[in-house]
Amino acid sequence: MIGVGVNLMNMVGVLVDLKGNIVTKTQVAKPRSSVKEIVEALLEIIREILRRSKEYTNDIKGIGVGIAGLVNKTTGSIHWPQKMDHYYTYASVDLPLGELIEREFNLPILIENDATSACFGEYWLNLNREYRNVIYMFSGVGCGIMINGEIYNGSTGYAGEVSIANFKEQDLFSCAAGNNCL
């Protein structure tokens, strides 16, 4: 499997076997400009993993992308956080990212929220299978949710996104609800 992680700071690509052992890994700083450049960097990471792994090409079963942000399971759109001055907002990506990746590499693709991916990874790597109901906090603003051993996404894929931001103010947790959580 090829896995790509996209967060606010960088992008990491790995080729792993089905036991989670890393065969090869690459990492680049995430471009801070246009959506087009970010998508191209993501595609280039996958290309680089494939260049480094020619002897495994026929064994690769699919590509998974874990991305910081909101992944709408109904529409396929992605909203990822972008820093604007000294606060964060969400950039909307309504292009068919999964289709672009699948078309270029002819492999099945799964795009998932990073926290949900981390929650599944904990379970898949058998870190403690007796826990079948899990809330996995990830990066402080989102969490993956597992109920009865299955990932829970909610109706559109936004379950677990708990960040509190007041867009009228430029600082996170400046609203009354946020202050009560501190």
Side-chain angles (χ1 to χ4, degrees):
M1 300 296 296
I2 294 174
V4 180
V6 180
N7 63 38
L8 295 175
M9 305 308 282
N10 62 26
M11 303 170 101
V12 176
V14 294
L15 176 67
V16 297
D17 64 20
L18 292 178
K19 293 180 182 175
N21 299 310
I22 296 173
V23 176
T24 190
K25 176 181 176 181
T26 188
Q27 180 173 339
V28 297
K30 181 179 156 210
R32 297 206 178 270
S33 48
S34 73
V35 169
K36 181 180 178 184
E37 289 173 322
I38 293 169
V39 170
E40 185 54 40
L42 188 146
L43 294 172
E44 186 54 36
I45 282 179
I46 297 169
R47 291 179 197 122
E48 178 63 22
I49 291 292
L50 289 169
R51 278 192 291 274
R52 293 182 184 185
S53 311
K54 292 191 185 305
E55 66 270 22
Y56 299 102
T57 302
N58 292 334
D59 297 326
I60 297 174
K61 303 298 181 202
I63 301 169
V65 177
I67 192 163
L70 308 171
V71 179
N72 187 310
K73 297 296 186 176
T74 304
T75 66
S77 66
I78 300 167
H79 306 281
W80 64 58
Q82 291 291 309
K83 189 153 185 153
M84 304 290 288
D85 295 322
H86 69 281
Y87 66 96
Y88 284 93
T89 188
Y90 282 91
S92 294
V93 182
D94 290 322
L95 68 124
L97 183 59
E99 290 176 28
L100 287 172
I101 297 169
E102 192 169 339
R103 194 172 334 142
E104 179 168 341
F105 301 106
N106 199 29
L107 289 166
I109 176 75
L110 174 66
I111 299 175
E112 189 58 80
N113 170 270
D114 57 355
T116 303
S117 298
C119 183
F120 175 76
E122 290 281 339
Y123 185 76
W124 179 59
L125 291 172
N126 200 20
L127 297 181
N128 201 334
R129 288 268 173 123
E130 70 186 58
Y131 298 114
R132 298 183 47 76
N133 299 298
V134 176
I135 296 177
Y136 184 95
M137 276 309 282
F138 188 81
S139 73
V141 296
C143 57
I145 301 171
M146 181 175 290
I147 300 173
N148 291 323
E150 294 184 20
I151 290 297
Y152 177 73
N153 287 307
S155 62
T156 59
Y158 296 165
E161 292 302 310
V162 296
S163 175
I164 299 171
N166 181 350
F167 295 106
K168 293 181 182 176
E169 300 291 329
Q170 291 192 358
D171 298 317
L172 294 178
F173 303 110
S174 62
C175 62
N179 287 333
N180 290 332
C181 293
L182 294 176

